[in-house]
Amino acid sequence: MSASVPAELAAAGALDASREPSPPVGIALGTMQLGTRVPADRAYDILDAYLDLGGQWLDTANCYAFWLSDTGLGGQSETVIGDWLARRGARDKVLLSTKVGAEPTRPGGFPAHAEGLAPEVVRDRLRSSLQRLRTDRVDLYWAHMEDRSRPVPEVADTFADLVAQGLTSRIGLSNHPTWFAAAAKVHAESKGAAAFTALQLRESYLHHRPDVEVEGENHPHGMMTIGSKDFAARNGVDLWAYTPLLTGLYEHPDRPLPTAYDHPGTYARLEALRTWSRELGVRPSQLVIALLIAQEPSIRPIVGVSSVAQVRDAVEAARLSLPEEALTALNTAG
C-alpha cells in the first residue's frame, strides 16, 4: 500500500495494552450505515472488532446516511463513531476519514440541492463533523463530489487552508475526474500549499460497460480508470475504492447482473474468480479485496459491513498473499 500517514499508527488495534498489537490492514472500514440501518449497539461491536483486528481507517461522510434517515439529513454515522470513540477512548488508535459536499441542504433535496464546496460551506461543515466525531481534527478530509460551480484554485485553496490550520492532516478528492486532481496539484505546488494526496473512486473486480450508466445511482459516481491509476502512481497519490464488492454480487451467483456489468467479459472474470476462490479456499469477495490491494498501484478497498463476522472476513482477506499464478489469471480474465 502506498504511503499515507507515517507509521500508520503501528499500535492501532491494541485495545488491551497487554496484547501484542495486530499488524495494520489494507482496508478502510466503510461506516455508511452505522446509526441508521446498523443500530448503535451493533455498530460499537463492529468498530471494536475492527480495531482489535488491526484496523485503522474509518471512512465516513457528513451526509451518511440521509437516504436512510427519517429526517432526510445525514450525520448519523459520524455521531455513532464519535460516541464510540468517546466510550472507548480510541481516538488515537484510529485514522478518521470524512467528507463534505454531498449533504442535501433540505430533506429530499439531493442531488439538485447538495451543499457543494463553497469555502464557507466546507469550513462550516468540517466544524460540524468534528463536533459529531468528538475530536479536534480528522486524518483525511475529502471533497465528496464535484461542484462545477467552484473553480479548481478555490477548492484547492479551501482544503489546503484546513491542513494549515491543523484541522486535517491530509486532503482528498472523491468522485472527481483526473483532470481536476492534476490541475489542483499544479495549483498547490505553485503556492507551496498542501495538495490532495488521495483519490476515492468506484472500483471492483468486474469491469462495467462504458456505454451504460452504473445502475442505482442518483448522482455521478467517479469510476476508477487507467488514467486515474496512472496519475496516482506517478504522483504518489493513494487510491481508495468504494463499493468494491458490488453490494454482495460476488457472494450470490444466482443474483441477476446489473445491466452495466452484463457482458461476456463479466462471465469470464466471474468464472476465474470462482475457480481461484475454490483453489485458495477463500470466499470470492475475499479474493476481490485481496486482488485490489495487490494491484500496482495498490488500491485500498472501503469495505462496508453489518456484522462482526463480516469484519473478520474482510480483515482476513486484506492479509491474504496471492500467488503470482492467481494474480495473472485473475487480471487477464475476460
Side-chain angles (χ1 to χ4, degrees):
M1 183 62 66
S2 51
S4 49
V5 175
E8 289 247 332
L9 297 178
L15 276 179
D16 181 348
S18 67
R19 294 173 50 190
E20 284 295 320
S22 300
V25 294
I27 60 169
L29 185 68
T31 64
M32 180 185 292
Q33 298 182 11
L34 301 192
T36 47
R37 187 165 290 163
V38 177
D41 56 348
R42 181 150 40 108
Y44 299 151
D45 290 341
I46 286 169
L47 292 164
D48 279 343
Y50 179 66
L51 184 59
D52 272 335
L53 292 167
Q56 303 159 311
W57 281 107
L58 304 180
D59 184 72
T60 187
N62 69 331
C63 69
Y64 292 165
F66 68 82
W67 58 96
L68 297 174
S69 170
D70 292 339
T71 68
L73 299 173
Q76 298 81 13
S77 172
E78 289 182 332
T79 297
V80 165
I81 292 171
D83 291 347
W84 173 77
L85 290 172
R87 286 167 177 251
R88 304 297 190 262
R91 176 62 189 95
D92 292 331
K93 297 183 177 71
V94 298
L95 297 166
L96 291 177
S97 155
T98 194
K99 314 178 192 72
V100 61
E103 169 76 342
T105 56
R106 62 171 186 259
F110 184 87
H113 298 284
E115 62 194 351
L117 298 174
E120 63 276 11
V121 169
V122 173
R123 291 191 293 264
D124 177 72
R125 300 307 189 270
L126 179 55
R127 284 194 292 268
S128 296
S129 288
L130 293 176
Q131 288 176 357
R132 285 189 290 269
L133 290 165
R134 302 202 197 186
T135 186
D136 59 356
R137 87 285 180 196
V138 292
D139 300 288
L140 180 49
Y141 198 46
W142 304 87
H144 200 165
M145 56 184 282
E146 191 179 6
D147 179 355
R148 296 214 162 195
S149 71
R150 318 312 305 188
V152 174
E154 179 187 270
V155 174
D157 288 344
T158 299
F159 279 79
D161 286 347
L162 301 176
V163 178
Q165 294 170 41
L167 298 175
T168 182
S169 301
R170 299 171 58 202
I171 50 179
L173 292 170
S174 171
N175 297 310
H176 280 69
T178 304
W179 70 261
F180 190 105
K185 178 179 182 295
V186 170
H187 177 76
E189 289 177 344
S190 74
K191 300 187 69 173
F196 294 106
T197 60
L199 298 178
Q200 187 173 144
L201 298 159
R202 182 166 178 153
E203 176 70 337
S204 187
Y205 176 60
L206 296 184
H207 297 152
H208 67 92
R209 288 169 51 180
D211 61 330
V212 177
E213 290 292 328
V214 175
E215 294 177 359
E217 300 183 4
N218 52 8
H219 74 85
H221 282 204
M223 308 300 289
M224 200 172 291
T225 65
I226 293 174
S228 52
K229 292 175 184 178
D230 285 348
F231 175 81
R234 291 171 183 269
N235 294 283
V237 170
D238 288 349
L239 288 173
W240 292 43
Y242 65 85
T243 321
L245 303 181
L246 299 180
T247 61
L249 179 74
Y250 298 109
E251 295 296 326
H252 301 280
D254 56 337
R255 182 177 294 178
L257 286 171
T259 302
Y261 294 97
D262 191 0
H263 59 86
T266 287
Y267 298 100
R269 288 178 83 78
L270 284 175
E271 180 58 31
L273 185 70
R274 289 164 187 157
T275 296
W276 277 100
S277 67
R278 290 191 297 268
E279 178 72 20
L280 299 173
V282 299
R283 304 170 70 94
S285 58
Q286 290 182 303
L287 192 50
V288 171
I289 291 171
L291 186 62
L292 290 173
I293 294 172
Q295 297 302 298
E296 185 58 47
S298 184
I299 298 169
R300 183 183 297 276
I302 304 170
V303 183
V305 303
S306 58
S307 70
V308 169
Q310 290 175 344
V311 174
R312 293 186 180 123
D313 279 352
V315 171
E316 181 180 285
R319 293 197 168 113
L320 290 174
S321 180
L322 301 180
E324 286 298 323
E325 183 183 3
L327 288 171
T328 299
L330 289 163
N331 283 325
T332 57

